[in-house]
Every structure is written in C-alpha cells, then in structure tokens.
C-alpha cells in the first residue's frame, strides 16, 4: 500500500539520522578523550623533565608525579568501555588485558610498595609509558581529525620496537625489586585458617605474574594499539 | 593415507581436497533410499582435487554409494548423507576440510574425570610433599571432610560410569588440543579445591551440622536429578542412531523440570556444586562452581537455540538453564 511504503522510508530516514548523530557524538567524544589523554601524558612528561632538571636526581620523582600518573592511567579504563559499546573497533578482552596490566603496575605495585618508588626501573617504565601514550593518543586524535602527520604515524609503528621491550624490562625489574618487601610485610595475603578455607600469597602471585610476562607480552600486545 | 572418505562403511577424516563427482548414467535425484532389489545401479565418477591448488589428486571411475563426510556448498554434510540423495546435478564439487588431529570423546571424558577422582584422593590421604611432613598420611579430624571426599568421589565415579554406559555421543571425536585444555581445567581445579578441603587447618562450616545436612540433601537430590536427565536423554535416542528429538518429562519426577528448562542436566549439575560449596564452605569450590556455571550457561543457550531452530513446535515455556531466568 502506498501509505505503508511512505512510512517505511520515513522510518528508514529516521534510523539513518539516528545512526549519523550517534556517529558524530561518538567521534566528538573520542576526539575529546584522545586530546585530553595526549595533554595529560604531555603534562606528565613536562613534570618529569622539570623535576629532573631542578633536582638533578630521579629520587622523589615518582612521588612528585604519582597523582597525575594514577589519574590518567586509571582514566584509560574508559577505553574498555569504548570497545564494549562499539565506538572503537578493538576487542574488549585485548584492551581490557592491556589496561588491567597497567592499572596493576600503578596501583598494586608502585603505589602500594613505597620502598621501591625510587628505583631506576620505575623511572624506566614511566618514561617508556609516557612516550608511548603520547604517541598513541596523538595518533588517534589526528586520525579522528583526518590529518595524520607522517612522523606520528612513523612513531606509532616504529617506536614500540624499542619502547616495548624497555617497558617490559622496567616493569619486571620493579616487580622483582618489590618482592623482598612483599614477603616481609605479608601484604595483600590471606593465611589459613579462615572460615572461607582459602589462602592467597601475594609474594608467589607476583612471581607468577612475572613468569606470565613471557607468554602474555609476546602475544596480543604485538598485534594491537 | 586412509583419509579419503569414500568407502561406503565408516568415513574417516579427510585430507584437503575437493571431490568433483559426475554420475555415469544420468539419474533423477531420488528422495527415497534405493531398494536392494533395484536392478539399475548408479555409478559415479569421482575426481578428487586439492581444495587450494585444484591439482587432481585421484580419479575414481566407478564409485557406488558413497558417504562423504565433508562439506557441500559451504554446509557440512553428515556422516549418513548419501551422494545419490544430495541436491546436486550431474556434477558436484566437494571440499574436504582437515579437522586436524582428533581424539574420541570417550577418551577425553574418561581422562578428564579420572584425574579429579585420583587427585582429590591424593590430597585426602595427605600423600607426602603436599602438606607439612608431620601431617603425611594423617586423616582430618572433621567428619565433613570425609563426607566431602565421599561426595566428590561419588560424583566423578558417576561421571565415569555414565561416560561408559549411559551417554550416546553425536560426534565420535573432538580436536586433540581439547584434551589438554579440559584436563588442565578439571585437574587444576580439583587440586586447588582438594588442597583446602583436606588441609590440616581446614575450618568446618559456620552453621555446623545443619548446614552440612542441608548441603548433602541438595547435593544428593541434584545427583539423582542429573542422572535421571542423562537416562531420559539416552532413551530419546535408539542405540547406534543419531536421531534428535525434543526431550519431554517422563514418569520420573526428576525429569519434570523439562517443562521449564531445556538443559536440566546443567541445572542439576549447578545444584550439585552449590551443595558441595555449602558443604565445604570453601571459596575455591565456589569459584569452580561459578566458572562451571558460566560455561554451562553458554552451552545451554547454544543447545536451546538449536532446539528452537530445529523444532517448530518447541515448548515456549522453557528457558535454557534456569527456569524463567536464564
């Protein structure tokens, strides 16, 4: 029937409009998000350079930038959401694993175990992360604005060859340095007997985490972001 | 190379290859199976090509009734399909898919269930090198630990016996890597649970005898239920066949749950493990129950969906695994 056909096309137009507005909102949000994250990590980079130039040492540097680092790294959890709702075409699990590994380092290792905060390995992985994230977020930003400078693209696909292993080394050394303090303090651990009949030893957990770097850091990471 | 599935008896898994079949004298596609007394016999010429390179691997100039176990036009054929009865013209192209190393379902089940049975017992008897040496070969002073061992062992013995005598499997085999994956899961969790339940520092349930009695009742009820469902499903399918029918409640009250659920075997399995969790009050057991529940829900949803697809008159009241909920 003629009226039925008209209704059909009107509905189609409405859903197409809805899709387009959703697309524009998503793009706008993602652009804002990536600009904000680029700015955040840049702030971090500047703060680290200033500290080092002023004090001449890396001791106390982590304390100085800790809050900014925790904020922006934690904010990255949103990226899992982006994948989940589909505005970013990456696997939720892969992004989730990457972000969780970062969150784990920041909150459950460097933040909780104060004695290792002045270790060189901490500076190593923080510097690596800063460079990587600035490159990554600016790459996404420029992509969304359809103006990708060649050097950003080059950086994105080439720097990781050096940055990635350095980052892994920094993280592993940091966890390794924290082991004696974890063992002595018994932190995050649960001993028997208890009414839930379970135990957890953070010390051995950290060792397992270190061992898992071998298979995990060799697989998905190399393929994405 | 016994892999060319062109004997009329038992087709094995085939190599990569394509079969182009051209029947000799053209015959109309018949839907009825050919009677033995028929005089006119149809022979096919079968050309086997490699799926990728299209090289001619082999040519068979007189093939009788053949049972290919490979795909036609993208959809997998069943073992029982007969070339004569397939909707093809005078030529057909079949594609082989190498399914990789296979292992029989029965073997996998027996291995993955024997593990937990033995591993748990090792912890129960406090075999050396697990707990401190002063506890070697001692027994727990808590009677619930003995009860838990009996229940756990009963559960896996039941599973082993069902695998041998009850289940009728649709597929003969599964990929070989499954046995490593499955055994890691079952054996790993069994060791983790058994370690804590049989630990010298084990704490019995907070609400004592009441809690244990209730848990045992739930566990036994669900074990019987699970077994009843397995028997009911077995009776749906005559021996040696692969027929598929909608399961319905039988005279056994434990099967009345079929009114509400598509896969009550999983429902009862969840119930059993909830009972065991309550009985032992052990967090690793709760975790194992949760992971198992997630996996079984995935399976139940898949099974429910295929029931709905296959049977137009499938009862609408049924949920996949939890009545009205999931």
């Amino acid at each position: 029937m003629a009226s039925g056909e008209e209704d059909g096309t009107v509905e189609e137009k409405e859903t197409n409009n809805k899709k387009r507005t959703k697309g524009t909102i998503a793009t706008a949000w993602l652009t804002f998000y990536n600009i904000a994250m680029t700015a955040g990590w840049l702030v971090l980079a500047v703060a680290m350079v200033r500290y080092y130039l002023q004090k001449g040492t890396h001791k106390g540097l982590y304390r100085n930038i800790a809050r900014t680092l925790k904020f922006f790294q934690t904010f990255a959890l949103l990226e899992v959401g982006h994948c989940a709702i589909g505005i970013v075409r990456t696997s939720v699990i892969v992004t989730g694993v990457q972000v969780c590994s970062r969150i784990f380092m920041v909150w459950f290792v460097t933040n909780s175990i104060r004695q290792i905060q002045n270790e060189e390995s901490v500076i190593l992985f923080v510097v690596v992360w800063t460079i990587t994230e600035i490159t990554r977020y600016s790459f996404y930003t420029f992509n969304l604005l359809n103006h990708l400078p060649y050097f950003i693209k080059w950086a994105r696909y080439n720097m990781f060859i050096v940055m990635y292993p350095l980052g892994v080394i920094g993280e592993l050394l940091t966890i390794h340095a924290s082991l004696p303090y974890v063992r002595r303090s018994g932190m995050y651990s649960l001993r028997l007997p208890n009414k839930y009949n379970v135990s957890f030893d953070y010390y051995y957990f950290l060792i397992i985490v270190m061992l898992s770097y071998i298979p995990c850091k060799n697989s998905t990471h190399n393929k994405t972001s | 190379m016994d892999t060319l599935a062109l004997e009329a008896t038992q087709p094995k898994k085939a190599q990569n290859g394509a079969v182009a079949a051209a029947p000799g004298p053209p015959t109309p596609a018949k839907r009825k199976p050919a009677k033995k007394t028929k005089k006119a016999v149809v022979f096919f010429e079968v050309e086997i090509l490699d799926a990728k390179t299209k090289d001619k691997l082999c040519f068979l100039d007189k093939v009788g009734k053949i049972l290919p176990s490979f795909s036609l036009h993208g959809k997998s054929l069943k073992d029982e399909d007969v070339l004569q009865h397939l909707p093809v013209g005078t030529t057909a192209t079949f594609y082989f898919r190498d399914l990789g190393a296979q292992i029989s379902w029965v073997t996998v089940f027996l291995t993955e269930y024997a593990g937990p049975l033995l591993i748990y017992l090792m912890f129960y008897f406090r075999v050396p090198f697990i707990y401190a040496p002063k506890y070697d070969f001692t027994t727990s002073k808590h009677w619930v630990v003995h009860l838990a061992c009996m229940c756990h062992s009963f559960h896996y013995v039941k599973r082993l016996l069902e695998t041998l005598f009850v289940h009728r499997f649709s597929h003969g085999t599964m990929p070989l890597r499954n046995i490593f994956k499955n055994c890691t899961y079952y054996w790993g969790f069994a060791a983790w649970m058994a370690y804590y339940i049989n630990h010298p520092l084990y704490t019995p349930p907070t609400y004592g005898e009441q809690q244990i009695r209730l848990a045992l009742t739930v566990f036994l009820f669900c074990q019987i239920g699970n077994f009843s469902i397995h028997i009911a499903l077995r009776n749906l399918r005559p021996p040696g066949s692969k027929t598929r029918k909608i399961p319905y409640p039988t005279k056994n009250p434990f099967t009345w749950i079929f009114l509400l659920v598509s896969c009550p075997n999983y429902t009862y399995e969840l119930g059993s493990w909830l009972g065991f969790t309550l009985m032992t009050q052990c967090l690793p057991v709760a975790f194992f129950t949760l992971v198992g529940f997630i996996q079984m829900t995935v399976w139940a949803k898949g099974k429910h969906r295929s029931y709905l697809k296959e049977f137009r008159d499938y009862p609408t009241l049924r949920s996949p695994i939890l009545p009205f909920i999931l």
Side-chain angles (χ1 to χ4, degrees), chain A residues 177-211:
Chain A
S178 72
L179 289 178
Y181 303 107
V182 169
R183 179 152 230 189
R184 217 176 303 147
S185 68
M187 66 190 298
Y188 297 154
S189 300
L190 184 61
R191 296 253 125 80
L192 287 177
N194 61 73
K195 68 173 173 177
Y196 296 114
N197 291 306
V198 68
S199 65
F200 181 74
D201 195 331
Y202 195 50
Y203 176 78
Y204 289 111
F205 177 73
L206 284 177
I207 293 179
I208 294 174
V209 166
M210 286 176 66
L211 289 172

Coordinates of all heavy atoms in Angstrom, one line a residue, chain A residues 177-211:
Chain A
A177 N 62.1 -6.0 42.3 CA 62.6 -5.3 43.5 C 61.6 -5.3 44.6 O 62.0 -5.1 45.8 CB 62.9 -3.8 43.0
S178 N 60.4 -5.4 44.3 CA 59.4 -5.3 45.4 C 59.2 -6.6 46.2 O 58.7 -6.6 47.3 CB 58.0 -4.9 44.8 OG 57.5 -6.0 44.1
L179 N 59.7 -7.7 45.6 CA 59.5 -9.0 46.3 C 59.9 -9.1 47.7 O 59.1 -9.5 48.6 CB 60.2 -10.1 45.4 CG 59.5 -10.4 44.1 CD1 60.3 -11.5 43.4 CD2 58.1 -10.9 44.3
P180 N 61.1 -8.7 48.1 CA 61.5 -8.8 49.5 C 60.6 -8.0 50.4 O 60.3 -8.5 51.5 CB 62.9 -8.2 49.6 CG 63.3 -7.8 48.2 CD 62.2 -8.1 47.3
Y181 N 60.1 -6.9 50.0 CA 59.3 -6.1 50.9 C 57.9 -6.7 51.0 O 57.3 -6.7 52.1 CB 59.1 -4.6 50.3 CG 60.4 -3.9 50.1 CD1 61.0 -3.7 48.9 CD2 61.1 -3.5 51.3 CE1 62.2 -3.1 48.7 CE2 62.4 -2.9 51.1 CZ 62.9 -2.7 49.9 OH 64.1 -2.1 49.7
V182 N 57.4 -7.3 49.9 CA 56.1 -8.0 50.0 C 56.2 -9.2 50.9 O 55.3 -9.4 51.7 CB 55.7 -8.5 48.6 CG1 54.5 -9.4 48.6 CG2 55.4 -7.3 47.7
R183 N 57.3 -9.9 50.8 CA 57.4 -11.1 51.6 C 57.5 -10.8 53.1 O 56.8 -11.4 53.9 CB 58.7 -11.9 51.2 CG 58.9 -13.1 52.1 CD 59.7 -14.1 51.4 NE 59.1 -15.4 51.5 CZ 59.6 -16.5 51.1 NH1 60.8 -16.4 50.6 NH2 59.0 -17.7 51.2
R184 N 58.3 -9.7 53.4 CA 58.4 -9.3 54.8 C 57.1 -8.8 55.4 O 56.8 -9.1 56.5 CB 59.5 -8.2 54.9 CG 60.3 -8.4 56.2 CD 61.4 -7.4 56.2 NE 62.3 -7.4 55.1 CZ 62.9 -6.3 54.5 NH1 62.7 -5.2 55.1 NH2 63.7 -6.4 53.5
S185 N 56.4 -8.0 54.6 CA 55.2 -7.4 55.2 C 54.0 -8.3 55.1 O 53.0 -8.1 55.8 CB 54.9 -6.1 54.5 OG 54.5 -6.4 53.1
G186 N 54.0 -9.3 54.2 CA 52.8 -10.2 54.1 C 51.6 -9.4 53.5 O 50.5 -9.8 53.8
M187 N 51.8 -8.4 52.8 CA 50.7 -7.5 52.3 C 49.8 -8.3 51.3 O 50.3 -9.2 50.6 CB 51.2 -6.3 51.7 CG 52.0 -6.5 50.4 SD 52.9 -5.1 49.8 CE 51.5 -4.0 49.4
Y188 N 48.6 -7.9 51.3 CA 47.6 -8.5 50.4 C 47.5 -10.0 50.4 O 47.1 -10.6 49.5 CB 47.9 -8.1 48.9 CG 47.8 -6.6 48.6 CD1 48.6 -6.1 47.5 CD2 47.0 -5.7 49.3 CE1 48.5 -4.7 47.2 CE2 47.0 -4.4 49.0 CZ 47.7 -3.9 48.0 OH 47.7 -2.6 47.6
S189 N 47.9 -10.5 51.6 CA 47.9 -12.0 51.7 C 46.9 -12.5 52.7 O 46.6 -11.7 53.7 CB 49.3 -12.5 52.0 OG 50.2 -12.1 51.0
L190 N 46.4 -13.7 52.5 CA 45.4 -14.3 53.4 C 45.9 -15.6 53.8 O 46.3 -16.4 53.0 CB 44.1 -14.4 52.7 CG 42.9 -14.9 53.5 CD1 42.6 -14.0 54.6 CD2 41.7 -15.1 52.6
R191 N 46.0 -15.8 55.1 CA 46.6 -17.1 55.6 C 45.5 -18.0 56.1 O 44.4 -17.6 56.5 CB 47.6 -16.9 56.8 CG 48.8 -16.0 56.4 CD 50.0 -16.9 56.4 NE 50.7 -16.8 55.1 CZ 51.5 -15.8 54.8 NH1 51.7 -14.8 55.6 NH2 52.1 -15.7 53.6
L192 N 45.8 -19.3 56.2 CA 44.9 -20.3 56.8 C 45.2 -20.2 58.3 O 46.3 -19.9 58.7 CB 45.1 -21.7 56.3 CG 44.6 -22.0 54.9 CD1 45.0 -23.4 54.6 CD2 43.1 -21.9 54.8
P193 N 44.3 -20.6 59.2 CA 42.9 -21.0 58.9 C 42.0 -19.7 58.9 O 42.3 -18.7 59.5 CB 42.5 -21.8 60.1 CG 43.4 -21.3 61.3 CD 44.6 -20.8 60.6
N194 N 41.0 -19.8 58.0 CA 40.0 -18.8 58.0 C 38.7 -19.5 57.5 O 38.7 -20.6 57.0 CB 40.4 -17.7 57.0 CG 40.5 -18.1 55.6 OD1 39.6 -18.4 54.9 ND2 41.8 -18.2 55.2
K195 N 37.6 -18.8 57.7 CA 36.3 -19.5 57.5 C 35.9 -19.8 56.1 O 35.0 -20.5 55.8 CB 35.1 -18.8 58.3 CG 34.8 -17.5 57.7 CD 33.5 -16.9 58.4 CE 33.2 -15.5 58.0 NZ 31.9 -15.0 58.6
Y196 N 36.7 -19.1 55.1 CA 36.4 -19.4 53.7 C 37.4 -20.4 53.2 O 37.3 -20.7 52.0 CB 36.4 -18.1 52.9 CG 35.3 -17.2 53.3 CD1 35.6 -16.0 53.9 CD2 34.0 -17.5 53.2 CE1 34.6 -15.1 54.4 CE2 33.0 -16.7 53.6 CZ 33.3 -15.5 54.2 OH 32.3 -14.6 54.6
N197 N 38.2 -20.9 54.0 CA 39.1 -22.0 53.6 C 39.8 -21.7 52.3 O 39.8 -22.4 51.3 CB 38.3 -23.3 53.5 CG 37.9 -23.8 54.8 OD1 38.8 -24.0 55.7 ND2 36.7 -24.0 55.0
V198 N 40.4 -20.5 52.2 CA 41.2 -20.2 51.1 C 42.5 -19.4 51.5 O 42.5 -18.9 52.6 CB 40.4 -19.3 50.1 CG1 40.1 -17.9 50.8 CG2 41.0 -19.1 48.8
S199 N 43.5 -19.4 50.8 CA 44.7 -18.6 51.1 C 45.2 -17.9 49.9 O 44.9 -18.4 48.7 CB 45.7 -19.5 51.8 OG 46.2 -20.4 50.8
F200 N 45.9 -16.9 50.1 CA 46.5 -16.1 48.9 C 47.8 -15.5 49.4 O 47.9 -14.9 50.4 CB 45.5 -15.0 48.5 CG 46.0 -14.2 47.4 CD1 46.0 -14.8 46.1 CD2 46.5 -12.9 47.5 CE1 46.5 -14.0 45.0 CE2 47.0 -12.2 46.5 CZ 47.0 -12.7 45.2
D201 N 48.8 -15.8 48.6 CA 50.1 -15.2 48.9 C 50.6 -14.3 47.8 O 50.9 -14.7 46.7 CB 51.1 -16.4 49.1 CG 52.4 -16.0 49.8 OD1 52.8 -14.8 49.7 OD2 53.0 -16.8 50.4
Y202 N 50.6 -13.0 48.2 CA 50.9 -12.0 47.2 C 52.3 -12.2 46.6 O 52.6 -11.9 45.4 CB 50.7 -10.6 47.8 CG 50.7 -9.5 46.8 CD1 49.8 -9.5 45.7 CD2 51.5 -8.4 46.9 CE1 49.8 -8.5 44.8 CE2 51.4 -7.3 46.0 CZ 50.6 -7.4 44.9 OH 50.5 -6.4 44.0
Y203 N 53.2 -12.7 47.4 CA 54.6 -12.9 47.0 C 54.6 -13.9 45.9 O 55.2 -13.6 44.8 CB 55.4 -13.4 48.2 CG 56.8 -13.8 47.9 CD1 57.8 -12.8 47.8 CD2 57.2 -15.1 47.8 CE1 59.1 -13.1 47.5 CE2 58.5 -15.4 47.5 CZ 59.4 -14.5 47.4 OH 60.7 -14.8 47.1
Y204 N 54.0 -15.0 46.0 CA 54.0 -16.0 45.0 C 53.2 -15.6 43.8 O 53.5 -15.9 42.6 CB 53.5 -17.4 45.5 CG 54.5 -18.0 46.4 CD1 54.3 -18.1 47.8 CD2 55.8 -18.4 45.9 CE1 55.2 -18.7 48.6 CE2 56.7 -19.0 46.8 CZ 56.5 -19.1 48.1 OH 57.4 -19.6 48.9
F205 N 52.1 -14.8 44.1 CA 51.3 -14.2 43.0 C 52.2 -13.3 42.1 O 52.1 -13.4 40.9 CB 50.2 -13.4 43.6 CG 49.3 -12.8 42.5 CD1 48.4 -13.5 41.8 CD2 49.4 -11.4 42.3 CE1 47.7 -12.9 40.8 CE2 48.6 -10.8 41.4 CZ 47.7 -11.6 40.6
L206 N 53.0 -12.5 42.7 CA 53.9 -11.6 41.9 C 54.9 -12.4 41.1 O 55.2 -12.1 39.9 CB 54.6 -10.6 42.8 CG 53.8 -9.5 43.4 CD1 54.7 -8.6 44.3 CD2 53.3 -8.6 42.3
I207 N 55.4 -13.5 41.6 CA 56.3 -14.3 40.9 C 55.6 -14.9 39.7 O 56.1 -14.9 38.6 CB 56.9 -15.4 41.8 CG1 57.8 -14.8 42.9 CG2 57.6 -16.5 41.0 CD1 58.4 -15.8 43.8
I208 N 54.4 -15.4 39.9 CA 53.6 -15.9 38.8 C 53.3 -14.8 37.7 O 53.4 -15.1 36.5 CB 52.3 -16.5 39.3 CG1 52.5 -17.7 40.1 CG2 51.4 -16.9 38.1 CD1 51.3 -18.3 40.8
V209 N 53.1 -13.6 38.2 CA 52.8 -12.5 37.2 C 54.1 -12.3 36.4 O 54.0 -12.2 35.2 CB 52.5 -11.2 38.0 CG1 52.6 -10.0 37.1 CG2 51.1 -11.3 38.5
M210 N 55.2 -12.3 37.1 CA 56.5 -12.1 36.3 C 56.7 -13.2 35.3 O 57.1 -12.9 34.1 CB 57.7 -12.1 37.3 CG 57.8 -10.9 38.1 SD 59.1 -10.9 39.3 CE 60.5 -10.9 38.3
L211 N 56.4 -14.5 35.7 CA 56.5 -15.6 34.7 C 55.6 -15.4 33.6 O 55.9 -15.7 32.4 CB 56.3 -16.9 35.4 CG 57.4 -17.3 36.4 CD1 57.0 -18.5 37.2 CD2 58.7 -17.6 35.6

